Amino acid sequence: VVLGMGGSSLCAEVVRRVFGKREGYPELLVLDSTVPEAVAMLEGRIDVARTLFIVASKSGSTTEPMMFHRYFYDRVKAVKGDDAGANFIAITDPGTQLVNDAQADHFRHTFLNMPDIGGRYSALSLFGLVPMALTGVDVATLLDRASHAAHISTIPQVTKNPAALLGTVLGALALKGRDKLTLLTPRPLDTLGLWVEQLIAESTGKEGKGIVPVAFEPPLGANEYGDDRLFVSVRLRG
């Protein structure tokens, strides 16, 4: 179970939905809501004594993961006593409060992430890779493809650089008034829309400017939209 909020947990949620449960590996669950019903629903799905909790917080002091940590640590301790820490690992930046808390509670391991990576850009850092590896995702292949994509994104000709081309289209049309970006993400890529939504909203939404991303919107007829929309579809080949 990933215990996080925002950027530190969105990637894990996408991975959970896209790859699902893999034979021989633990099932990945994500808790990123403090709504009591959400916490109770997750707790009802697990055996706390046999669950590995991943407390994920870049700053190490985000309120929600800290509360999740305390809540589930108490639950495990009620069953396992002083061995409760063996059911916990942490992912955080060096020198944070979470590092100290994990040491005090004898966590199984603390993964120290590179501190110069913003939370919303952390998918291919330890925040994304640790949950992936634990649940059987082929991390080596993923990183190889990511490295290839990163190389392509340095090509100076925009028409041969998909990332720059997409960014140019988004920016140019936003300046023309099409600043509502509707994301079409069919299953199992549906949660990808939530992640892209945060990337765009948090990165461009400054000083009264920016692009408004729209995820999970039911598709309507073309004549039912205003002229302020741009649609981007993400789909699996075939």
Side-chain angles (χ1 to χ4, degrees):
V1 176
V2 173
L3 305 174
M5 187 61 59
S8 63
S9 61
L10 270 173
C11 176
E13 178 63 21
V14 174
V15 168
R16 184 183 76 83
R17 289 295 292 264
V18 172
F19 295 106
K21 172 79 169 69
R22 297 199 159 199
E23 189 66 33
Y25 290 90
E27 180 182 7
L28 178 63
L29 300 174
V30 178
L31 181 63
D32 62 354
S33 171
T34 55
V35 174
E37 289 82 359
V39 179
M41 188 180 301
L42 176 116
E43 194 170 359
R45 294 183 60 182
I46 62 175
D47 175 359
V48 293
R50 292 176 49 81
T51 299
L52 179 68
F53 295 94
I54 305 168
V55 185
S57 172
K58 175 179 169 58
S59 68
S61 58
T62 305
T63 301
E64 294 90 346
M66 289 180 72
M67 294 302 100
F68 292 151
H69 165 200
R70 294 263 56 90
Y71 178 82
F72 283 104
Y73 186 84
D74 288 345
R75 286 290 192 266
V76 177
K77 190 172 183 179
V79 180
K80 298 185 66 174
D82 292 339
D83 293 331
N87 287 48
F88 289 81
I89 62 175
I91 309 173
T92 187
D93 284 359
T96 67
Q97 182 60 44
L98 180 52
V99 173
N100 299 330
D101 293 343
Q103 188 174 8
D105 284 341
H106 305 291
F107 275 26
R108 177 180 291 269
H109 192 79
T110 297
F111 291 90
L112 298 179
N113 208 55
M114 294 174 64
D116 59 346
I117 302 174
R120 61 192 183 278
Y121 301 122
S122 63
L124 297 180
S125 72
L126 295 174
F127 284 102
L129 295 179
V130 170
M132 287 187 211
L134 287 169
T135 52
V137 174
D138 186 349
V139 170
T141 297
L142 178 76
L143 291 177
D144 181 64
R145 292 177 180 176
S147 179
H148 179 66
H151 172 72
I152 292 174
S153 73
T154 64
I155 296 174
Q157 296 95 334
V158 171
T159 55
K160 296 181 180 179
N161 182 331
L165 182 59
L166 177 60
T168 300
V169 170
L170 292 175
L173 288 176
L175 292 174
K176 295 288 187 180
R178 292 188 178 271
D179 57 356
K180 310 299 186 297
L181 172 64
T182 298
L183 299 161
L184 303 176
T185 51
R187 290 192 174 199
L189 300 176
D190 44 1
T191 49
L192 182 67
L194 295 177
W195 183 19
V196 174
E197 178 183 53
Q198 194 205 30
L199 285 171
I200 292 175
E202 194 173 353
S203 300
T204 70
K206 312 293 181 186
E207 298 177 357
K209 301 178 181 179
I211 297 168
V212 179
V214 184
F216 282 153
E217 183 179 42
L220 305 172
N223 63 334
E224 296 185 64
Y225 292 99
D227 59 3
D228 59 350
R229 299 294 190 112
L230 169 65
F231 294 86
V232 172
S233 173
V234 184
R235 59 186 177 177
L236 295 172
R237 183 178 297 166

